[in-house]
Amino acid sequence: MLLDEHHFNEASLKAAWRNATNQGIAASIIGNIRQAALAEALLPFEQRVAQAIQCIYVMQSWAPVQRRWLECLAK
């Protein structure tokens, strides 16, 4: 009833759920194809970001303010 009050009807919610589910399925398929093509294990997003940020940190000496910005971007 609360959703109805805010103009979220059942049909639009079902469509949104279907769309989100389809996107999840597509992302999973793409991930599996990528894994097979690169012959490497799939990593969780957070782990990929952590590895990328470590690579960036060793590229050069970053000022403290720059490191804080990089940390914000990583989050």
Side-chain angles (χ1 to χ4, degrees):
M1 289 181 352
L2 181 62
L3 291 171
D4 276 338
E5 290 174 12
H6 290 89
H7 310 291
F8 291 100
N9 61 33
E10 186 175 353
S12 65
L13 290 172
K14 283 183 180 181
W17 177 253
R18 188 172 44 253
N19 186 34
T21 303
N22 287 341
Q23 288 178 0
I25 292 168
S28 178
I29 291 169
I30 290 168
N32 289 332
I33 293 169
R34 181 182 182 277
Q35 178 185 12
L38 299 176
E40 65 181 41
L42 291 176
L43 299 175
F45 179 74
E46 293 80 12
Q47 190 174 350
R48 289 194 323 255
V49 170
Q51 288 177 347
I53 204 73
Q54 289 306 314
C55 289
I56 291 170
Y57 284 157
V58 298
M59 287 179 167
Q60 67 182 50
S61 179
W62 299 94
V65 69
Q66 291 173 315
R67 286 184 73 90
R68 284 195 300 271
W69 272 107
L70 289 170
E71 290 167 8
C72 286
L73 290 171
K75 290 179 184 174

